[in-house]
Amino acid sequence: MTLSNAEEQLMQLLWKKEKAFMKDLIDAYPDPKPATTTIATLLKRMQDKNFVDYVQYGRSREYFPLVKKKVYFSKQVNGMIKNFFNDSAAQFASFFTKETDLSQEELEDLKKLIDQRLKEERK
Amino acid sequence: MTLSNAEEQLMQLLWKKEKAFMKDLIDAYPDPKPATTTIATLLKRMQDKNFVDYVQYGRSREYFPLVKKKVYFSKQVNGMIKNFFNDSAAQFASFFTKETDLSQEELEDLKKLIDQRLKEERK
DNA sequence: GATTGTGTTCTACAAATGTAGAAATAAATT
DNA sequence: AATTTATTTCTACATTTGTAGAACACAATC
């Protein structure tokens, strides 16, 4: 099951806020803001897909994500790796460092990160 | 303009083959193969979106991609970076190295790659 | 207690997507 | 020349997506 674009956008907002009432979500949209019924529809569809749930607070609901951004994101990336790189994360990584513009500092940081990981693995 | 899932799948085949007649594309699908008219429809829609073109060879057409896999892919990644990481490729990179399972060798390779890039930049 | 603000549910509808039949066409083969 | 094969174009139709009005509900406020 996947989120559509509009749903994913809304999910991003929810992830950022961790939990939110409809009003907060709509406020977070840039103008022109969608109709409340639009958001209500999206939220319901997302519930059906088991991406969000809510807690009833008095008469209104506080929504929260059922899926962690990390997990969702990983699936996205893994999908791409599968589709574009024959399932090789290394190939992806190589491509990634070549084709995105990381500044020198960013490259240094990334290198440090990899070093750390390598050290950890040696333990 | 984006490709739908079915379209993207077909595009992958076309990228792999570089160019192909409809028959070749359909052959490349796993069973159950889609109807030829299905593929014809997708190809036409992809033409409309300017993702493929063809050369008329006799009575039939040899299709080829108008958009490089690299370019298409970069846009995808950049979209994700924008959505998930506030436009920071570095943040993405960090996440990526943490959350995908790169083997030790792959990490080493990636490190080498980064070193090369850093050297180049210093020239 | 009447009014207002918020949220929910139901319904609707246009556009996009996934899929394919029918009919036409033309090249290749018998 | 008649038949078969490959392809295309047109049309169709169910599903999903993006978007929102109408109507109802209830809590807060005047």
Side-chain angles (χ1 to χ4, degrees):
Chain A
M1 199 62 79
T2 335
L3 295 174
S4 73
N5 282 329
E7 287 162 0
E8 194 180 300
Q9 194 188 167
L10 182 49
M11 197 67 180
Q12 295 283 356
L13 296 176
L14 196 50
W15 275 321
K16 202 166 291 174
K17 300 194 168 300
E18 308 202 11
K19 55 188 177 166
F21 293 93
M22 252 198 59
K23 189 182 184 313
D24 307 323
L25 290 170
I26 292 174
D27 284 350
Y29 274 85
D31 290 315
K33 300 191 189 304
T36 75
T37 47
T38 300
I39 300 305
T41 303
L42 291 178
L43 283 171
K44 175 160 300 180
R45 287 180 186 165
M46 288 156 84
Q47 286 165 54
D48 292 346
K49 293 181 179 178
N50 279 302
F51 275 93
V52 308
D53 202 353
Y54 59 84
V55 181
Q56 195 83 32
Y57 263 100
R59 90 277 72 171
S60 69
R61 302 167 173 185
E62 188 166 45
Y63 294 91
F64 61 90
L66 275 184
V67 176
K68 290 211 192 70
K69 180 166 161 172
K70 225 181 216 186
V71 172
Y72 183 81
F73 174 76
S74 294
K75 275 184 194 144
Q76 301 273 299
V77 176
N78 277 80
M80 288 184 63
I81 292 177
K82 183 168 286 180
N83 281 327
F84 284 86
F85 294 103
N86 253 75
D87 237 330
S88 154
Q91 224 178 300
F92 174 87
S94 144
F95 181 93
F96 173 71
T97 57
K98 275 185 225 145
E99 295 300 321
T100 47
D101 32 49
L102 290 164
S103 71
Q104 197 159 331
E105 288 98 312
E106 290 170 335
L107 283 169
E108 300 277 12
D109 288 349
L110 185 51
K111 209 180 113 185
K112 269 181 217 148
L113 240 152
I114 292 171
D115 273 335
Q116 274 174 233
R117 289 261 334 259
L118 284 170
K119 264 179 218 155
E120 268 166 45
E121 242 155 77
R122 269 182 225 113
K123 274 187 211 154
Chain B
M1 199 60 77
T2 335
L3 295 174
S4 74
N5 281 329
E7 286 163 1
E8 194 180 299
Q9 194 188 169
L10 182 49
M11 199 66 180
Q12 294 283 356
L13 295 177
L14 197 51
W15 275 321
K16 202 165 291 175
K17 300 195 166 301
E18 309 203 11
K19 56 188 174 159
F21 293 91
M22 253 198 59
K23 190 182 184 314
D24 307 322
L25 290 170
I26 293 175
D27 284 350
Y29 275 84
D31 290 315
K33 301 191 189 306
T36 74
T37 46
T38 299
I39 300 304
T41 302
L42 291 178
L43 282 171
K44 175 161 299 180
R45 287 181 186 163
M46 288 157 83
Q47 286 165 53
D48 291 346
K49 293 182 179 178
N50 278 303
F51 275 93
V52 308
D53 203 352
Y54 59 83
V55 180
Q56 195 84 32
Y57 263 101
R59 90 280 68 171
S60 68
R61 302 167 175 184
E62 188 166 46
Y63 294 92
F64 61 89
L66 274 183
V67 176
K68 290 209 193 69
K69 181 167 163 173
K70 227 181 213 181
V71 171
Y72 183 82
F73 174 76
S74 294
K75 274 183 194 145
Q76 300 273 299
V77 177
N78 277 79
M80 289 184 62
I81 291 177
K82 182 169 286 177
N83 282 326
F84 284 86
F85 295 102
N86 254 75
D87 237 331
S88 155
Q91 223 178 301
F92 174 87
S94 143
F95 182 93
F96 174 72
T97 57
K98 275 186 223 142
E99 296 300 322
T100 47
D101 32 49
L102 289 165
S103 70
Q104 197 159 332
E105 288 98 312
E106 288 170 336
L107 283 169
E108 299 279 11
D109 288 350
L110 185 51
K111 209 180 112 184
K112 269 180 219 150
L113 240 152
I114 292 171
D115 272 334
Q116 274 174 232
R117 289 257 338 254
L118 283 169
K119 262 179 222 155
E120 267 166 45
E121 242 155 75
R122 268 182 227 115
K123 274 187 215 158

